[in-house]
Coordinates of all heavy atoms in Angstrom, one line a residue:
M493 N -3.3 -15.0 -4.8 CA -2.1 -14.1 -4.7 C -1.5 -14.3 -3.3 O -2.3 -14.5 -2.4 CB -2.6 -12.7 -4.9 CG -1.5 -11.7 -5.0 SD -1.9 -10.1 -5.6 CE -2.6 -9.3 -4.1
R494 N -0.2 -14.4 -3.3 CA 0.5 -14.6 -2.0 C 1.3 -13.3 -1.8 O 1.9 -12.8 -2.7 CB 1.3 -15.8 -2.1 CG 0.7 -17.1 -2.6 CD 0.0 -17.9 -1.6 NE 0.9 -18.4 -0.5 CZ 0.3 -18.9 0.5 NH1 -0.9 -19.0 0.7 NH2 1.1 -19.3 1.5
I495 N 1.4 -12.9 -0.6 CA 2.2 -11.7 -0.2 C 3.1 -12.2 1.0 O 2.7 -12.9 1.9 CB 1.3 -10.6 0.4 CG1 0.4 -10.1 -0.7 CG2 2.2 -9.5 0.9 CD1 -0.6 -9.1 -0.3
T496 N 4.4 -11.9 0.8 CA 5.4 -12.2 1.9 C 5.6 -11.1 2.8 O 6.2 -10.1 2.5 CB 6.7 -12.6 1.2 OG1 6.6 -13.6 0.3 CG2 7.8 -13.0 2.3
C497 N 5.0 -11.3 4.0 CA 5.1 -10.4 5.1 C 6.5 -10.4 5.7 O 7.0 -11.5 6.0 CB 4.1 -10.6 6.2 SG 4.2 -9.6 7.6
P498 N 7.2 -9.3 5.8 CA 8.5 -9.3 6.5 C 8.6 -9.9 7.9 O 9.6 -10.5 8.3 CB 9.0 -7.9 6.4 CG 8.2 -7.2 5.4 CD 6.9 -7.9 5.4
N499 N 7.5 -9.9 8.6 CA 7.4 -10.4 9.9 C 6.9 -11.9 10.0 O 7.3 -12.6 10.8 CB 6.5 -9.6 10.8 CG 6.9 -8.2 10.9 OD1 8.1 -7.9 10.9 ND2 6.0 -7.2 11.1
C500 N 6.0 -12.2 9.1 CA 5.3 -13.5 9.2 C 5.6 -14.5 8.1 O 5.2 -15.7 8.2 CB 3.8 -13.3 9.2 SG 3.2 -12.2 10.6
G501 N 6.3 -14.1 7.0 CA 6.6 -15.0 5.9 C 5.4 -14.9 4.9 O 4.5 -14.1 5.0
E502 N 5.5 -15.9 4.0 CA 4.5 -15.9 2.9 C 3.1 -16.2 3.4 O 2.9 -17.2 4.2 CB 5.0 -16.9 1.8 CG 4.1 -16.8 0.6 CD 4.5 -17.8 -0.5 OE1 5.7 -17.6 -0.9 OE2 3.8 -18.7 -0.9
R503 N 2.1 -15.5 3.0 CA 0.7 -15.7 3.4 C -0.2 -15.4 2.2 O 0.1 -14.7 1.3 CB 0.4 -14.6 4.5 CG 1.2 -14.7 5.8 CD 0.8 -16.0 6.5 NE 1.3 -16.0 7.8 CZ 2.4 -16.6 8.3 NH1 3.1 -17.3 7.4 NH2 2.8 -16.7 9.5
D504 N -1.5 -16.0 2.4 CA -2.5 -15.7 1.4 C -2.9 -14.3 1.5 O -3.0 -13.7 2.5 CB -3.6 -16.7 1.6 CG -4.6 -16.7 0.5 OD1 -4.5 -17.4 -0.5 OD2 -5.6 -15.9 0.7
R505 N -3.3 -13.8 0.3 CA -3.7 -12.3 0.3 C -5.0 -12.1 1.2 O -5.2 -11.0 1.6 CB -3.9 -11.9 -1.1 CG -5.3 -12.1 -1.6 CD -5.9 -10.9 -2.1 NE -7.1 -10.3 -1.9 CZ -7.7 -9.7 -0.9 NH1 -7.1 -9.6 0.3 NH2 -8.9 -9.1 -0.9
R506 N -5.8 -13.1 1.6 CA -6.9 -12.9 2.4 C -6.6 -12.5 3.8 O -7.5 -12.1 4.5 CB -7.8 -14.2 2.3 CG -8.4 -14.4 0.9 CD -9.2 -15.6 0.9 NE -8.2 -16.8 0.8 CZ -8.4 -18.0 0.6 NH1 -9.7 -18.4 0.4 NH2 -7.5 -19.0 0.6
E507 N -5.4 -12.6 4.2 CA -4.9 -12.2 5.5 C -4.7 -10.7 5.5 O -4.6 -10.1 6.6 CB -3.6 -12.8 6.0 CG -3.8 -14.3 6.3 CD -2.5 -14.9 7.1 OE1 -1.7 -14.1 7.5 OE2 -2.4 -16.1 7.1
F508 N -4.7 -10.0 4.4 CA -4.4 -8.6 4.2 C -5.5 -7.8 3.7 O -6.4 -8.4 3.0 CB -3.2 -8.5 3.2 CG -1.9 -9.2 3.6 CD1 -1.8 -10.5 3.3 CD2 -0.9 -8.6 4.3 CE1 -0.6 -11.2 3.6 CE2 0.2 -9.2 4.6 CZ 0.4 -10.6 4.3
Y509 N -5.5 -6.5 4.0 CA -6.6 -5.6 3.5 C -5.9 -4.5 2.7 O -4.9 -3.9 3.2 CB -7.4 -5.0 4.5 CG -8.4 -6.0 5.1 CD1 -8.0 -6.7 6.2 CD2 -9.6 -6.2 4.4 CE1 -9.0 -7.6 6.7 CE2 -10.5 -7.1 5.0 CZ -10.2 -7.8 6.1 OH -11.1 -8.7 6.6
Y510 N -6.3 -4.4 1.4 CA -5.7 -3.4 0.4 C -6.2 -2.0 0.9 O -7.4 -1.9 1.2 CB -6.2 -3.7 -0.9 CG -5.9 -2.6 -1.9 CD1 -4.6 -2.5 -2.5 CD2 -6.9 -1.7 -2.3 CE1 -4.4 -1.5 -3.4 CE2 -6.6 -0.7 -3.3 CZ -5.3 -0.6 -3.8 OH -5.0 0.4 -4.7
Q511 N -5.3 -1.1 1.1 CA -5.6 0.2 1.6 C -5.4 1.3 0.6 O -5.5 2.5 1.0 CB -4.8 0.5 2.9 CG -5.1 -0.5 4.0 CD -6.6 -0.4 4.5 OE1 -7.1 0.7 4.7 NE2 -7.2 -1.5 4.7
G512 N -5.0 1.1 -0.6 CA -4.9 2.1 -1.7 C -3.4 2.2 -2.1 O -2.5 1.5 -1.7
D513 N -3.2 3.2 -2.9 CA -1.9 3.5 -3.5 C -0.9 4.0 -2.4 O -1.4 4.7 -1.5 CB -2.1 4.6 -4.5 CG -0.9 4.9 -5.3 OD1 0.2 4.7 -4.8 OD2 -1.0 5.4 -6.6
A514 N 0.3 3.6 -2.5 CA 1.3 4.0 -1.4 C 1.6 5.5 -1.6 O 2.3 6.0 -0.6 CB 2.6 3.2 -1.6
L515 N 1.0 6.2 -2.6 CA 1.1 7.6 -2.6 C 0.6 8.2 -1.3 O 1.0 9.3 -1.0 CB 0.2 8.1 -3.8 CG 0.0 9.6 -3.9 CD1 1.4 10.2 -4.3 CD2 -1.0 9.8 -5.0
A516 N -0.3 7.5 -0.6 CA -0.8 8.1 0.7 C 0.2 8.4 1.7 O 0.0 9.1 2.6 CB -1.9 7.1 1.2
L517 N 1.4 7.8 1.5 CA 2.5 8.0 2.4 C 3.1 9.4 2.2 O 3.8 9.9 3.0 CB 3.6 7.0 2.3 CG 3.3 5.5 2.7 CD1 4.4 4.6 2.3 CD2 3.0 5.4 4.1
D518 N 2.8 10.0 1.0 CA 3.4 11.3 0.7 C 2.4 12.4 0.9 O 2.0 13.1 0.0 CB 3.9 11.3 -0.8 CG 5.0 10.3 -1.0 OD1 5.9 10.2 -0.1 OD2 5.0 9.7 -2.1
R519 N 2.0 12.5 2.1 CA 0.9 13.5 2.4 C 1.4 15.0 2.2 O 2.6 15.2 2.6 CB 0.5 13.4 3.9 CG -0.3 12.1 4.2 CD -0.5 12.0 5.7 NE -1.2 13.1 6.2 CZ -2.5 13.2 6.6 NH1 -3.1 12.0 6.6 NH2 -3.0 14.3 7.1
P520 N 0.6 15.9 1.8 CA 1.1 17.3 1.7 C 1.2 17.9 3.1 O 0.6 17.3 4.1 CB -0.1 18.0 1.0 CG -0.9 16.9 0.4 CD -0.7 15.7 1.2
S521 N 1.9 18.9 3.2 CA 2.1 19.6 4.5 C 0.8 20.2 4.9 O -0.1 20.4 4.1 CB 3.2 20.7 4.5 OG 2.7 21.7 3.6
Q522 N 0.6 20.4 6.3 CA -0.7 20.9 6.7 C -1.0 22.2 6.2 O -2.2 22.6 6.0 CB -0.6 21.0 8.3 CG -0.8 19.7 9.0 CD -1.0 19.9 10.4 OE1 -0.3 20.7 11.1 NE2 -1.9 19.2 11.1
D523 N 0.0 23.1 5.8 CA -0.3 24.4 5.3 C -0.4 24.4 3.8 O -0.4 25.5 3.2 CB 0.7 25.4 5.8 CG 2.1 25.1 5.5 OD1 2.4 23.9 5.0 OD2 3.0 25.9 5.7
A524 N -0.4 23.2 3.2 CA -0.5 23.3 1.7 C -1.9 23.8 1.3 O -2.8 23.7 2.1 CB -0.4 21.8 1.2
G525 N -2.0 24.3 0.2 CA -3.2 24.9 -0.2 C -4.4 23.9 -0.4 O -4.2 22.7 -0.5
L526 N -5.6 24.5 -0.5 CA -6.8 23.6 -0.6 C -6.7 22.7 -2.0 O -7.1 21.6 -1.9 CB -8.0 24.4 -0.6 CG -8.4 25.0 0.7 CD1 -9.7 25.9 0.6 CD2 -8.6 23.9 1.8
S527 N -6.3 23.3 -3.0 CA -6.2 22.5 -4.3 C -5.2 21.4 -4.2 O -5.4 20.4 -4.7 CB -5.8 23.5 -5.4 OG -4.5 24.0 -5.2
V528 N -4.1 21.6 -3.4 CA -3.2 20.5 -3.2 C -3.8 19.3 -2.4 O -3.7 18.2 -2.8 CB -1.9 21.0 -2.5 CG1 -1.0 19.8 -2.1 CG2 -1.1 22.0 -3.4
W529 N -4.5 19.7 -1.4 CA -5.2 18.7 -0.6 C -6.3 18.0 -1.3 O -6.6 16.8 -1.3 CB -5.7 19.3 0.8 CG -4.7 19.3 1.8 CD1 -3.9 20.3 2.2 CD2 -4.2 18.2 2.6 NE1 -3.0 19.9 3.2 CE2 -3.2 18.6 3.4 CE3 -4.7 16.8 2.7 CZ2 -2.5 17.7 4.3 CZ3 -4.0 16.0 3.5 CH2 -3.0 16.4 4.4
D530 N -7.0 18.8 -2.1 CA -8.2 18.3 -2.9 C -7.5 17.2 -3.9 O -8.1 16.2 -4.1 CB -8.9 19.4 -3.6 CG -10.0 18.8 -4.5 OD1 -10.9 18.1 -3.9 OD2 -10.0 19.1 -5.7
D531 N -6.5 17.6 -4.6 CA -5.8 16.7 -5.5 C -5.4 15.4 -4.8 O -5.6 14.2 -5.3 CB -4.7 17.3 -6.2 CG -4.1 16.5 -7.3 OD1 -4.9 16.1 -8.2 OD2 -2.9 16.3 -7.3
Y532 N -4.7 15.5 -3.6 CA -4.2 14.4 -2.8 C -5.4 13.4 -2.5 O -5.2 12.2 -2.5 CB -3.5 14.9 -1.7 CG -3.1 13.8 -0.6 CD1 -2.1 13.0 -0.9 CD2 -3.8 13.7 0.5 CE1 -1.7 12.0 0.0 CE2 -3.5 12.7 1.5 CZ -2.5 11.8 1.2 OH -2.1 10.9 2.2
L533 N -6.5 14.0 -2.0 CA -7.6 13.2 -1.5 C -8.5 12.6 -2.5 O -9.0 11.5 -2.3 CB -8.5 14.1 -0.5 CG -7.8 14.5 0.7 CD1 -8.7 15.5 1.5 CD2 -7.5 13.3 1.6
H534 N -8.7 13.3 -3.7 CA -9.7 12.9 -4.6 C -9.2 12.4 -6.0 O -10.0 11.7 -6.7 CB -10.7 14.0 -4.8 CG -11.3 14.4 -3.6 ND1 -12.2 13.6 -2.8 CD2 -11.1 15.6 -2.8 CE1 -12.6 14.2 -1.8 NE2 -11.9 15.4 -1.7
N535 N -8.0 12.6 -6.4 CA -7.5 12.4 -7.7 C -6.5 11.3 -7.7 O -5.3 11.6 -7.5 CB -7.0 13.6 -8.4 CG -8.1 14.7 -8.6 OD1 -9.2 14.3 -8.9 ND2 -7.8 15.9 -8.4
R536 N -6.8 10.1 -7.9 CA -5.9 8.9 -7.9 C -5.9 8.3 -9.2 O -6.9 8.1 -9.9 CB -6.3 8.0 -6.8 CG -6.3 8.5 -5.4 CD -5.0 8.8 -4.9 NE -4.9 9.6 -3.7 CZ -4.9 9.1 -2.5 NH1 -4.9 7.8 -2.2 NH2 -4.9 9.9 -1.4
G537 N -4.7 7.8 -9.6 CA -4.6 7.0 -10.9 C -5.1 5.6 -10.7 O -5.3 5.1 -9.5
N538 N -5.4 5.0 -11.8 CA -5.8 3.5 -11.7 C -5.0 2.8 -12.8 O -5.5 2.4 -13.8 CB -7.3 3.4 -12.0 CG -7.8 2.0 -11.8 OD1 -7.1 1.2 -11.1 ND2 -8.9 1.7 -12.4
P539 N -3.6 2.6 -12.5 CA -2.8 2.2 -13.6 C -2.9 0.7 -13.8 O -3.2 -0.1 -12.8 CB -1.4 2.5 -13.1 CG -1.6 2.5 -11.6 CD -2.9 3.1 -11.4
A540 N -2.7 0.2 -15.0 CA -2.6 -1.2 -15.3 C -1.1 -1.5 -15.4 O -0.4 -0.9 -16.1 CB -3.3 -1.5 -16.6
G541 N -0.6 -2.4 -14.5 CA 0.9 -2.7 -14.5 C 1.4 -2.7 -13.2 O 0.7 -2.9 -12.2
D542 N 2.6 -2.2 -13.0 CA 3.4 -2.2 -11.8 C 2.9 -1.0 -10.8 O 2.7 0.1 -11.3 CB 4.9 -2.1 -11.9 CG 5.4 -3.4 -12.6 OD1 4.8 -4.4 -12.4 OD2 6.5 -3.2 -13.2
T543 N 2.6 -1.3 -9.6 CA 2.1 -0.3 -8.6 C 2.9 -0.5 -7.2 O 3.4 -1.6 -7.0 CB 0.7 -0.4 -8.4 OG1 0.4 -1.7 -7.8 CG2 -0.2 -0.3 -9.7
K544 N 2.8 0.5 -6.4 CA 3.2 0.4 -5.0 C 1.9 0.6 -4.2 O 1.3 1.7 -4.3 CB 4.2 1.4 -4.7 CG 5.6 1.1 -5.2 CD 6.6 2.1 -4.7 CE 8.0 1.9 -5.2 NZ 8.6 0.7 -4.8
D545 N 1.5 -0.4 -3.4 CA 0.2 -0.2 -2.7 C 0.4 -0.4 -1.1 O 1.4 -1.1 -0.7 CB -0.7 -1.3 -3.1 CG -1.0 -1.4 -4.6 OD1 -1.1 -0.3 -5.2 OD2 -1.1 -2.5 -5.2
L546 N -0.4 0.1 -0.5 CA -0.5 -0.1 1.0 C -1.4 -1.2 1.4 O -2.5 -1.3 0.9 CB -1.0 1.1 1.8 CG -0.1 2.3 1.9 CD1 -0.8 3.5 2.6 CD2 1.1 2.0 2.8
W547 N -0.9 -2.2 2.1 CA -1.7 -3.3 2.6 C -1.5 -3.4 4.1 O -0.4 -3.1 4.7 CB -1.2 -4.6 2.0 CG -1.5 -4.7 0.5 CD1 -0.9 -4.0 -0.5 CD2 -2.5 -5.5 -0.1 NE1 -1.4 -4.4 -1.7 CE2 -2.4 -5.3 -1.5 CE3 -3.4 -6.4 0.3 CZ2 -3.2 -6.0 -2.4 CZ3 -4.3 -7.1 -0.5 CH2 -4.1 -6.8 -1.9
F548 N -2.6 -3.8 4.8 CA -2.6 -4.0 6.2 C -2.7 -5.5 6.5 O -3.6 -6.1 6.1 CB -3.8 -3.2 6.9 CG -3.8 -3.3 8.4 CD1 -2.8 -2.9 9.2 CD2 -4.9 -4.0 9.0 CE1 -2.8 -3.0 10.6 CE2 -5.0 -4.1 10.3 CZ -3.9 -3.6 11.2
H549 N -1.8 -6.0 7.4 CA -1.8 -7.4 7.7 C -2.7 -7.7 8.9 O -2.3 -7.9 10.0 CB -0.4 -7.9 8.0 CG -0.2 -9.4 7.9 ND1 0.9 -10.1 8.2 CD2 -1.2 -10.4 7.7 CE1 0.7 -11.4 8.0 NE2 -0.6 -11.6 7.8
E550 N -4.0 -7.6 8.6 CA -5.0 -7.8 9.6 C -5.0 -9.1 10.4 O -5.1 -9.1 11.6 CB -6.4 -7.6 8.9 CG -7.6 -8.0 9.8 CD -8.1 -6.8 10.6 OE1 -8.2 -5.7 10.0 OE2 -8.5 -7.0 11.8
A551 N -4.9 -10.2 9.7 CA -5.0 -11.6 10.3 C -3.7 -12.0 10.8 O -3.6 -13.1 11.3 CB -5.6 -12.5 9.3
G552 N -2.6 -11.2 10.7 CA -1.3 -11.6 11.1 C -0.8 -10.6 12.2 O -1.4 -10.4 13.2
C553 N 0.3 -10.0 11.9 CA 1.1 -9.2 12.9 C 0.6 -7.7 13.0 O 1.0 -7.0 13.9 CB 2.6 -9.2 12.5 SG 2.9 -8.5 10.8
G554 N -0.3 -7.4 12.1 CA -0.9 -6.0 12.2 C 0.0 -4.9 11.5 O -0.1 -3.7 11.8
A555 N 1.0 -5.4 10.7 CA 1.9 -4.4 10.1 C 1.3 -3.8 8.9 O 0.4 -4.4 8.2 CB 3.1 -5.2 9.8
W556 N 1.7 -2.6 8.6 CA 1.4 -1.9 7.4 C 2.6 -2.2 6.4 O 3.7 -2.0 6.8 CB 1.3 -0.4 7.6 CG 0.1 0.0 8.3 CD1 -0.1 0.1 9.6 CD2 -1.2 0.3 7.7 NE1 -1.4 0.6 9.9 CE2 -2.1 0.6 8.6 CE3 -1.5 0.3 6.4 CZ2 -3.4 0.9 8.4 CZ3 -2.9 0.7 6.1 CH2 -3.8 1.0 7.1
L557 N 2.2 -2.6 5.2 CA 3.2 -3.0 4.2 C 3.1 -2.1 2.9 O 1.9 -1.8 2.5 CB 3.1 -4.4 3.8 CG 3.1 -5.5 4.9 CD1 2.8 -6.8 4.2 CD2 4.4 -5.5 5.6
V558 N 4.2 -1.9 2.2 CA 4.2 -1.3 0.9 C 4.5 -2.5 0.0 O 5.6 -3.1 0.1 CB 5.2 -0.2 0.7 CG1 5.2 0.2 -0.7 CG2 4.8 1.0 1.6
V559 N 3.5 -2.9 -0.9 CA 3.7 -4.1 -1.7 C 3.9 -3.6 -3.2 O 3.0 -2.8 -3.7 CB 2.5 -5.0 -1.6 CG1 2.5 -6.1 -2.5 CG2 2.3 -5.4 -0.2
D560 N 5.0 -4.0 -3.8 CA 5.2 -3.8 -5.2 C 4.6 -5.0 -6.0 O 4.9 -6.1 -5.7 CB 6.7 -3.7 -5.6 CG 7.4 -2.5 -5.0 OD1 6.7 -1.7 -4.4 OD2 8.6 -2.4 -5.2
R561 N 3.6 -4.6 -6.8 CA 2.9 -5.8 -7.5 C 2.4 -5.2 -8.9 O 2.5 -4.0 -9.2 CB 1.7 -6.2 -6.7 CG 0.6 -5.3 -6.6 CD -0.5 -5.8 -5.8 NE -1.7 -4.8 -5.8 CZ -2.8 -5.0 -6.4 NH1 -3.0 -6.1 -7.2 NH2 -3.7 -4.1 -6.4
N562 N 2.1 -6.2 -9.7 CA 1.6 -5.9 -11.0 C 0.1 -6.2 -11.0 O -0.4 -7.3 -10.7 CB 2.2 -6.8 -12.1 CG 1.9 -6.4 -13.5 OD1 0.8 -6.6 -13.8 ND2 2.9 -5.9 -14.2
T563 N -0.7 -5.2 -11.4 CA -2.2 -5.3 -11.3 C -2.7 -6.1 -12.5 O -3.9 -6.6 -12.4 CB -2.9 -3.9 -11.3 OG1 -2.5 -3.2 -12.5 CG2 -2.5 -3.1 -10.1
V564 N -2.0 -6.4 -13.5 CA -2.5 -7.2 -14.6 C -2.1 -8.6 -14.3 O -3.1 -9.5 -14.5 CB -1.8 -6.7 -15.9 CG1 -2.1 -7.6 -17.1 CG2 -2.1 -5.3 -16.2
T565 N -1.0 -9.0 -13.9 CA -0.6 -10.4 -13.7 C -0.8 -10.8 -12.3 O -0.7 -12.1 -12.0 CB 0.9 -10.6 -14.1 OG1 1.7 -9.9 -13.1 CG2 1.1 -10.1 -15.4
H566 N -1.0 -9.9 -11.3 CA -1.1 -10.2 -9.9 C 0.2 -10.8 -9.3 O 0.2 -11.3 -8.2 CB -2.2 -11.2 -9.6 CG -3.5 -10.7 -10.1 ND1 -4.2 -9.6 -9.5 CD2 -4.4 -11.1 -11.1 CE1 -5.3 -9.3 -10.1 NE2 -5.5 -10.2 -11.1
A567 N 1.3 -10.5 -10.0 CA 2.6 -11.0 -9.5 C 3.0 -9.9 -8.4 O 2.9 -8.7 -8.6 CB 3.7 -11.0 -10.6
V568 N 3.4 -10.5 -7.3 CA 3.9 -9.7 -6.2 C 5.5 -9.7 -6.2 O 6.1 -10.7 -6.2 CB 3.4 -10.2 -4.8 CG1 4.1 -9.4 -3.7 CG2 1.9 -10.1 -4.7
H569 N 6.1 -8.6 -6.4 CA 7.6 -8.5 -6.5 C 8.3 -8.3 -5.3 O 9.3 -8.8 -5.0 CB 7.9 -7.3 -7.5 CG 7.2 -7.3 -8.8 ND1 7.3 -8.3 -9.7 CD2 6.3 -6.5 -9.3 CE1 6.6 -8.1 -10.8 NE2 5.9 -7.0 -10.6
K570 N 7.6 -7.5 -4.3 CA 8.3 -7.2 -3.1 C 7.3 -6.7 -2.1 O 6.4 -6.0 -2.5 CB 9.4 -6.2 -3.4 CG 10.2 -5.8 -2.2 CD 11.4 -4.9 -2.5 CE 11.0 -3.5 -3.0 NZ 12.1 -2.6 -3.2
A571 N 7.6 -6.9 -0.8 CA 6.8 -6.3 0.3 C 7.7 -5.9 1.4 O 8.6 -6.6 1.8 CB 5.7 -7.2 0.9
V572 N 7.6 -4.6 1.8 CA 8.4 -4.1 2.9 C 7.5 -3.4 3.8 O 6.5 -2.9 3.6 CB 9.5 -3.1 2.4 CG1 10.4 -3.8 1.4 CG2 8.9 -1.9 1.7
L573 N 8.0 -3.3 5.1 CA 7.3 -2.6 6.1 C 7.2 -1.1 5.8 O 8.2 -0.5 5.3 CB 8.0 -2.7 7.5 CG 8.1 -4.1 8.1 CD1 8.9 -4.1 9.3 CD2 6.7 -4.6 8.4
A574 N 6.0 -0.5 5.9 CA 5.8 0.8 5.5 C 6.8 1.8 6.2 O 7.2 2.8 5.7 CB 4.4 1.3 5.7
E575 N 7.0 1.4 7.5 CA 7.9 2.3 8.3 C 9.3 2.4 7.7 O 10.1 3.2 8.1 CB 7.9 1.9 9.8 CG 8.4 0.5 10.0 CD 8.3 0.0 11.4 OE1 7.4 0.4 12.1 OE2 9.0 -1.0 11.8
K576 N 9.7 1.4 6.9 CA 11.0 1.3 6.4 C 11.2 2.1 5.0 O 12.3 2.2 4.5 CB 11.5 -0.1 6.2 CG 11.4 -1.0 7.4 CD 12.7 -0.8 8.2 CE 12.6 -1.7 9.4 NZ 13.5 -1.5 10.4
V577 N 10.1 2.5 4.4 CA 10.0 3.1 3.2 C 10.5 4.6 3.3 O 10.0 5.4 4.2 CB 8.7 3.1 2.5 CG1 8.6 3.9 1.3 CG2 8.2 1.7 2.3
K578 N 11.5 4.9 2.6 CA 12.0 6.4 2.6 C 11.1 7.2 1.7 O 10.6 6.9 0.7 CB 13.4 6.4 2.0 CG 14.4 5.7 2.9 CD 15.8 5.8 2.4 CE 16.7 4.9 3.1 NZ 17.9 5.4 3.5
R579 N 10.8 8.3 2.3 CA 9.8 9.3 1.7 C 10.6 10.5 1.2 O 11.5 10.9 1.6 CB 8.8 9.8 2.7 CG 7.9 8.6 3.1 CD 6.8 9.0 4.1 NE 6.3 7.9 4.7 CZ 6.5 7.6 6.0 NH1 7.1 8.4 6.8 NH2 6.0 6.5 6.5

């Protein structure tokens, strides 16, 4: 699998570390109830198909990326800097 880093260009996926669903960018507010935080921390989907994931470019520029990819075909559709993603 190849991921195109916006800073470094196309790279092998071994330069990156998968960090989970990009849902992690949508953190609840600090004063959200315990059930909201429990759901956010412990209940994640495991979809087959298109996903948005967080990846860290460890062996490159150190950027956090949101990668749109398909978990069935391993096709990477797009990668953008996490700081550019609108929440």
Side-chain angles (χ1 to χ4, degrees):
M493 188 167 82
R494 311 273 301 165
I495 297 173
T496 301
C497 174
N499 297 328
C500 304
E502 187 176 301
R503 299 287 194 262
D504 188 86
R505 89 121 230 75
R506 290 175 289 189
E507 287 192 14
F508 301 85
Y509 285 95
Y510 173 77
Q511 298 294 318
D513 189 332
L515 171 71
L517 294 174
D518 297 323
R519 293 173 56 111
S521 65
Q522 282 188 318
D523 59 349
L526 290 178
S527 64
V528 173
W529 274 99
D530 182 56
D531 188 53
Y532 170 76
L533 292 171
H534 302 291
N535 298 320
R536 302 288 167 95
N538 188 19
D542 292 334
T543 64
K544 286 187 184 293
D545 305 321
L546 280 175
W547 290 74
F548 180 65
H549 196 181
E550 169 92 40
C553 62
W556 285 91
L557 306 177
V558 174
V559 177
D560 291 359
R561 69 184 183 105
N562 187 293
T563 59
V564 176
T565 66
H566 301 292
V568 175
H569 306 296
K570 177 172 73 168
V572 297
L573 295 173
E575 65 189 20
K576 304 279 185 190
V577 174
K578 294 185 189 224
R579 296 181 196 111

